[in-house]
Amino acid sequence: ADFARHVLQGNPDAYVKGRLYEIIFSRFLRKSSLTMDGETWRQRRRLISPAFNARAIKGVEAVVARHVEAMLQSWGEAADAGRAVELTHDVGELAMRIAMEAFFSADMGDDPARIGALMDKVITDAGSPPFADIMNLPGWIPRRSRRRAMGWLAELDAWLYRLIDARLARREAGEAEPEAPDLLDILVHARDEETGAFLDRQSIRNEVLTLFAAGHETTALSFAWGLDRLAREPEWQERLAAAAAEAEAVAGGPLDPAGARAVALLPAAYDEILRLYPPAFSIGRQAIAADRFENVEIAPGTRIQIVIGMIHRNARYWERPGVFDPERFLPAGRAGRHPFAHIPFGGGPRICVGLALARLEGVMVLARALPRFRLAPDGPPPEPVGKITLRTRAPVTMRVTRRA
């Protein structure tokens, strides 16, 4: 945790994302906030940050609640029919539909399922770059063809550019940002505070694809891992359900985001899920200047992996690290803890820009699902597979029954 803090926060300008990020992402995302470094990254971050400020997140709260309710309605149908819930599918579709509407509101047009499937295939291919590229072998060495992935990306781009061009045309015609903007509106109208410049068409595309792809997949993975773990933790499941139900009784109905956050155990439970199953389980950096950490000299060019998953389960920072215990994240449990012992969204200036949206979705799923359903496992625990993110080897299913 000390080293993670040093690299990510203490001396971040001595490090860049490095060549591996370029290999994995540049073909698909091109130049975006995920792969940029230095001053170009700082300028880009200033431009995209308004898409995730408090006003923007407030604007998508109703979207999140509506799509969570739609998912839970399908769970009720599964419970009544006695069939398992296809958890991986359901939470993936939930995160995708929230992202689609949050970014594009009424302009979605195309079938979200088709766009979601394209996005998933592109992300999966990006996570498996040719070995020859990883090893920086000469260009004449044969590589796995990525022609199909480029075709999927072309379909995504054709769809995305139509939306972007329509918004740019409105801006050029003098239309102001709508009173209730979606995230694409905010990016189209964002101006750099120092230069006054807008994002250009290509940059908007790169950022939308980056934020859309990275955000929806990691959030969905946290739900798949977390709800499966809760299905295997009946005592904690009952405590969380009782806390949410008690707050619902006071509120007179299902909890809104503010009401859900006020039930301290709910955000604590989502933090504990992210501790045990951080979707972005490792962060890579490469030194561009000589640096020193304690008695270790770090030479320029040194590649570093900060394995968040190992920090999150390190007994130096966590008592009984493999145990599910949301009380770790209540005020008394947090006291005295290393600030970089829990970094599911990274840390320092490059901390994930979309963390508030992810937390909103996570807390709302727990607040609405647990008072309504009992969760039970439908097989052995998922087996982890580390690609870019912490995926499960096979899709996760789960059993749900209605609470009386």
Side-chain angles (χ1 to χ4, degrees), residues 14-33:
Y15 300 89
V16 295
K17 288 291 190 78
R19 194 177 65 84
L20 190 58
Y21 279 81
E22 285 290 325
I23 292 169
I24 294 173
F25 296 113
S26 62
R27 184 184 293 261
F28 300 97
L29 305 178
R30 304 182 188 130
K31 288 292 185 182
S32 77
S33 56

Side-chain angles (χ1 to χ4, degrees), residues 18 30 65-66 76 80 202 243 257 292 299 347 349 387:
R30 304 182 188 130
R66 178 160 29 84
D80 295 342
Q202 178 75 60
R292 182 183 180 88
K387 291 284 191 175

Side-chain angles (χ1 to χ4, degrees), residues 150-373:
M150 291 299 99
W152 300 327
L153 184 63
E155 282 190 67
L156 274 177
D157 277 343
W159 168 77
L160 188 52
Y161 275 127
R162 284 198 301 272
L163 300 183
I164 293 171
D165 289 343
R167 306 293 180 92
L168 288 174
R170 293 179 210 164
R171 190 189 75 191
E172 295 304 314
E175 290 187 25
E177 184 180 307
E179 287 188 15
D182 57 30
L183 300 186
L184 179 56
D185 283 321
I186 294 171
L187 289 176
V188 165
H189 289 272
R191 302 185 76 147
D192 188 274
E193 294 177 358
E194 297 182 9
T195 67
F198 290 111
L199 284 169
D200 61 34
R201 178 178 185 261
Q202 178 75 60
S203 296
I204 293 171
R205 174 265 184 204
N206 296 351
E207 293 305 331
V208 169
L209 200 57
T210 296
L211 297 167
F212 192 69
H216 101 269
E217 195 213 13
T218 52
T219 303
L221 287 172
S222 75
F223 297 155
W225 283 109
L227 293 171
D228 177 83
R229 182 61 182 258
L230 275 172
R232 302 171 196 278
E233 300 282 350
E235 291 183 10
W236 266 112
Q237 190 183 148
E238 293 305 310
R239 280 188 65 179
L240 293 167
E246 183 179 348
E248 282 187 341
V250 174
L255 297 176
D256 62 14
R261 286 190 291 266
V263 181
L265 277 177
L266 294 177
Y270 191 56
D271 275 333
E272 179 70 338
I273 288 168
L274 293 173
R275 181 185 72 83
L276 289 166
Y277 309 104
F281 65 95
S282 184
I283 296 176
R285 291 291 186 269
Q286 185 169 343
I288 56 172
D291 192 19
R292 182 183 180 88
F293 174 72
E294 296 179 351
N295 63 343
V296 178
E297 299 289 343
I298 301 171
T302 301
R303 295 181 189 173
I304 293 163
Q305 285 299 130
I306 297 168
V307 185
I308 293 171
M310 293 181 69
I311 295 173
H312 283 189
R313 291 176 181 249
N314 190 325
R316 182 183 302 177
Y317 310 115
W318 307 96
E319 184 179 346
R320 299 181 304 154
V323 172
F324 183 86
D325 182 7
E327 288 188 343
R328 304 177 197 274
F329 293 97
L330 297 181
R334 289 179 182 273
R337 182 177 301 143
H338 194 295
F340 272 62
H342 186 250
I343 50 171
F345 299 101
R350 296 198 74 140
I351 193 168
C352 174
V353 72
L355 68 88
L357 179 57
R359 288 190 183 282
L360 167 64
E361 294 181 42
V363 173
M364 285 300 290
V365 166
L366 298 179
R368 296 289 180 95
L370 295 180
R372 208 171 302 179
F373 298 103

Side-chain angles (χ1 to χ4, degrees), residues 30-44:
R30 304 182 188 130
K31 288 292 185 182
S32 77
S33 56
L34 186 66
T35 57
M36 289 175 168
D37 289 294
E39 185 54 39
T40 55
W41 169 79
R42 279 186 277 272
Q43 182 182 22
R44 181 62 58 85

